[in-house]
């Protein structure tokens, strides 16, 4: 079946239209929920001089595709804001963005202790791995030697 034939079939299917409406509604509700959850963090970041719409704007900000970059450059001055929000209860998706935004070598002095504490307290297995990944980047060699547990979690990803 050609893609064009499939699209014609789907356009004529009322169940498909209902499913699309439901999915669109769910996505809109999720976007609203995440924006509300992240509002205080964004206000803090804007107050610090960063015009970002989401903490995710800091993540992978060196993307080679310019149209994907919403923010470019260093942001060491907001590491302390991100650390503060690491201790505030946020939706897991926002929490992941905070952790990934702190996954920078330059964050060691400001964030290493907070990331370690979060790692040892985290119950969600996905976020635990995200924290292990952050520690892999942020910690110095001597810090890594003192906390080998992060490596076990990092290495276990993808294994049954």
């Amino acid at each position: 079946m050609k893609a064009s034939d499939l699209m014609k079939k789907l356009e004529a299917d009322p169940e498909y239209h209902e499913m699309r409406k439901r999915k669109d509604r769910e996505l809109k509700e999720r976007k609203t929920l995440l924006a509300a959850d992240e509002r205080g963090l964004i206000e803090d970041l804007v107050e610090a001089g960063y015009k970002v719409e989401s903490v995710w704007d800091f993540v992978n900000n060196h993307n080679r595709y310019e149209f994907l970059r919403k923010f470019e450059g260093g942001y060491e001055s907001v590491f302390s804001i991100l650390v503060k929000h690491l201790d505030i209860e946020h939706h897991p998706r926002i929490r992941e963005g905070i952790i990934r935004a702190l996954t920078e070598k330059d964050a060691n002095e400001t964030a290493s202790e907070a990331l370690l504490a979060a790692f040892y307290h985290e119950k969600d297995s996905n976020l635990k791995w995200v924290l292990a990944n952050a520690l892999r980047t942020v910690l110095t060699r001597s810090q890594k030697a003192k906390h080998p547990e992060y490596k076990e979690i990092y290495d276990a990803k993808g294994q049954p």
Side-chain angles (χ1 to χ4, degrees), residues 125 129 151-160:
S125 62
W129 185 88
K151 190 170 180 350
E152 295 169 20
I153 299 297
Y154 179 81
D155 290 342
K157 180 162 179 139
Q159 296 182 12

Side-chain angles (χ1 to χ4, degrees), residues 59-113:
V59 179
N60 297 326
N61 67 342
H62 299 292
N63 193 301
R64 66 182 174 153
Y65 300 110
E66 189 173 328
F67 72 95
L68 292 175
R69 288 184 238 139
K70 293 186 179 177
F71 170 84
E72 189 173 359
Y75 54 95
E76 293 83 6
S77 63
V78 298
F79 288 161
S80 59
I81 294 170
L82 297 171
V83 166
K84 177 181 100 173
H85 280 270
L86 189 59
D87 289 336
I88 296 172
E89 188 174 332
H90 283 286
H91 185 280
R93 183 73 177 144
I94 303 304
R95 186 165 169 77
E96 181 179 349
I98 293 167
I99 296 164
R100 289 189 184 272
L102 286 169
T103 305
E104 296 282 335
K105 282 218 176 285
D106 295 338
N108 179 283
E109 189 175 314
T110 308
S112 61
E113 292 302 318

Side-chain angles (χ1 to χ4, degrees), residues 119-120 132 144 146-154:
F119 174 78
Y120 287 117
K144 289 176 183 177
K146 292 177 188 173
H147 303 279
E149 304 85 356
Y150 86 91
K151 190 170 180 350
E152 295 169 20
I153 299 297
Y154 179 81

Side-chain angles (χ1 to χ4, degrees), residues 36-50:
D37 181 277
E38 194 176 24
R39 188 171 296 120
L41 172 58
I42 297 307
E43 288 170 359
D44 288 350
L45 295 170
V46 168
E47 188 175 307
Y50 290 84

